[in-house]
Amino acid sequence: MTTFISLFQLQHEASVSMQFWDNPTVDGFHSLLMTSKPMIRTSDHVFQLCELVKLQSSCKKLNLLSELMDHSGNYVQTALPFLLSLLQQGLGQRILLLTHSLSPDPEWSVDSEAPKHKAQPPLSFGLLLRPELAISVLERGPPADSPKAAEFRRLWGSRSELRRFQDGAITEAVVWEGESICQKRLVPKQIITHLLQLHADIPPSSLRYVGAMVDDVIRTGSEVSSTGEEESLQVVQSYDDLSRKLWRLEGLPLSITAVQGAHPVLRYTQVFPPVPLKLDYSFFEREKTSRSLIPKEDKPCPAYITPITVICHMEGSGKWPHDRLAIRHIRTAFHICLGELLKKHHNYTCRPCPTHLDVWKVFYLVCVDVPHLWASFVSFICSPPLTGGTTHWWSTSTTSSQASTLTRLPFPSVSHKQSPPDLLLFTHPTYFNILLVCIAVSTLTLIVVHPCHV
């Protein structure tokens, strides 16, 4: 059975095939001709209609009795084109492609009865989503006085309501449930369930939906379930604001050449990202000299604040010393100067240390580090020359840590001028969720304290 959806699927597959053939970096022959492509691999979401006998009532609801006679009572083939048209109209711009699979016509012996239509395998449907539109909870319709308003209300039924928007327009609209991003990913399921029940009398119990199942592994929260994407986005926005302010600082001995986020949450690869924390100052007392917060002895231990590491690179200079202790003193001076400027221009609470600068910004603790590449070289331990006259160098734990922080950071790191993680998150919404699942599973498997940085 060929439908208009089958033609769209053929057109889409032909377009993708040409892209594979024209790409010299991909083995097009193996990818196109030697690799199986079941619906579960070629679709973002998949759902099935399990109780096909329900399609009998769908034919009555859709007034398809004449078409049912044309198909000799096969209510599955009768209702399928109308269901595809209904879903295509309801999902609209949320999907790139709607596909389906229909089992071939059954064969039976002449000595036995013909199999019942309800004995056929479940009908399978696949959705190829548009990432930028699929998770929208708002379906905005035509204005209230438009002739298309009645058609919009007929399509969505009781879910349609008049709403006034910020631009002053009063239009028909449908609002779906979804507070967090992981809940919004299942908006297509809400649309499909509502349309099938309203127009085809297919109850939700007959629908088997598979989509966004990766989120179930890393989902947290009792009231509003979340996968940590909102928390990660808040951290990235806070970091972007601090990065801009660091770039605009004036009065530093050396100008800033790069600001790089070194914490996994800035690459959306932290399983449990830091959450904003508002301090209860009744649990602390001020130190007289530095005015630092010190926990009171008669109060419970304060909550742990996860620091967000940020590397601030300065321009090169030939005046850096070659002594490790002198470099440490100069880095401390840089941290003090940077903290004074942030306090003066932006009123941030800062605490300089020899190794980093603690900045308290909008309920987040940011550790700003001003590294120097030469410091990693002068920290090597040198052994006396051997009999052959060669000198051997061994790295210490300090050099290994500095090299890991400065040179082995993954390339998709958040920076002020370009943000590859944001691009990946936009084009492949589930990419980072899969990373989080891999990190969580590997952490539990290896029984380590902290997940490895990705």
Side-chain angles (χ1 to χ4, degrees), residues 30-91:
H30 185 273
S31 300
L32 295 177
L33 304 179
M34 303 298 292
T35 305
S36 62
K37 302 174 183 63
M39 182 178 291
I40 195 67
R41 295 184 60 184
T42 58
S43 303
D44 295 320
H45 290 188
V46 175
F47 66 95
Q48 290 182 332
L49 293 181
C50 301
E51 301 177 7
L52 298 183
V53 70
K54 300 291 184 180
L55 295 180
Q56 287 183 334
S57 59
S58 300
C59 293
K60 297 180 182 179
K61 184 72 178 279
L62 296 171
N63 195 18
L64 302 178
L65 298 182
S66 299
E67 289 80 359
L68 184 61
M69 295 178 62
D70 295 338
H71 288 87
S72 302
N74 191 337
Y75 48 82
V76 177
Q77 294 188 0
T78 302
L80 180 59
F82 294 90
L83 293 181
L84 292 174
S85 177
L86 175 66
L87 296 177
Q88 184 73 41
Q89 183 181 2
L91 294 171

Side-chain angles (χ1 to χ4, degrees), residues 156-402:
W156 298 109
S158 60
R159 295 301 298 260
S160 177
E161 57 184 5
L162 284 176
R163 281 183 173 264
R164 183 182 182 92
F165 294 90
Q166 293 182 352
D167 57 359
I170 301 178
T171 66
E172 296 285 343
V174 177
V175 181
W176 304 102
E177 290 80 8
E179 298 183 22
S180 61
I181 296 180
C182 66
Q183 293 176 345
K184 294 178 181 178
R185 288 198 185 98
L186 293 177
V187 167
K189 178 182 178 181
Q190 301 181 43
I191 296 175
I192 293 170
T193 304
H194 175 72
L195 291 177
L196 293 181
Q197 187 173 18
L198 177 65
H199 296 281
D201 280 343
I202 298 178
S205 59
S206 301
L207 189 68
R208 183 187 303 163
Y209 197 94
V210 178
M213 298 188 69
V214 178
D215 298 342
D216 295 336
V217 183
I218 55 177
R219 185 177 298 178
T220 59
S222 55
E223 298 181 358
V224 179
S225 59
S226 172
T227 56
E229 294 168 90
E230 292 84 359
E231 292 81 358
S232 298
L233 185 59
Q234 291 180 4
V235 176
V236 171
Q237 291 174 349
S238 180
Y239 160 78
D240 287 338
D241 180 64
L242 178 62
S243 178
R244 296 186 187 96
K245 293 176 180 177
L246 289 174
W247 276 87
R248 296 171 184 171
L249 284 181
E250 297 181 355
L252 290 171
L254 296 175
S255 61
I256 297 176
T257 59
V259 179
Q260 185 181 22
H263 197 276
V265 71
L266 301 178
R267 299 185 293 273
Y268 301 99
T269 57
Q270 183 75 14
V271 180
F272 301 106
V275 295
L277 183 62
K278 188 175 182 180
L279 294 179
D280 187 357
Y281 290 95
S282 62
F283 284 70
F284 303 90
E285 59 183 4
R286 293 280 185 178
E287 200 271 333
K288 295 182 180 179
T289 305
S290 62
R291 306 297 297 168
S292 301
L293 295 177
I294 301 177
K296 293 182 178 179
E297 296 182 357
D298 57 340
K299 293 288 187 178
C301 181
Y304 173 73
I305 304 175
T306 304
I308 303 169
T309 307
V310 173
I311 298 176
C312 185
H313 295 277
M314 314 296 283
E315 65 177 343
S317 174
K319 298 182 179 180
W320 280 88
H322 292 180
D323 181 69
R324 182 173 59 181
L325 185 59
I327 293 177
R328 180 183 176 89
H329 290 169
I330 293 178
R331 288 181 58 197
T332 304
F334 268 111
H335 295 153
I336 294 174
C337 182
L338 196 62
E340 291 175 351
L341 292 176
L342 290 175
K343 176 66 176 178
K344 177 181 177 182
H345 295 288
H346 305 289
N347 198 26
Y348 287 159
T349 302
C350 303
R351 184 178 183 274
C353 302
T355 56
H356 62 273
L357 171 68
D358 289 330
V359 181
W360 181 251
K361 182 186 183 302
V362 194
F363 311 136
Y364 291 107
L365 177 63
V366 182
C367 292
V368 181
D369 185 13
V370 181
H372 187 256
L373 290 176
W374 182 248
S376 60
F377 291 103
V378 299
S379 297
F380 277 94
I381 297 179
C382 174
S383 66
L386 301 179
T387 56
T390 58
T391 302
H392 287 247
W393 299 79
W394 283 274
S395 63
T396 62
S397 58
T398 303
T399 59
S400 299
S401 176
Q402 291 174 349

Side-chain angles (χ1 to χ4, degrees), residues 50 52 74 76-77 102-104 106 116-123:
C50 301
L52 298 183
N74 191 337
V76 177
Q77 294 188 0
L102 183 64
S103 59
K116 303 294 184 181
H117 299 302
K118 64 181 180 180
Q120 296 183 23
L123 283 177

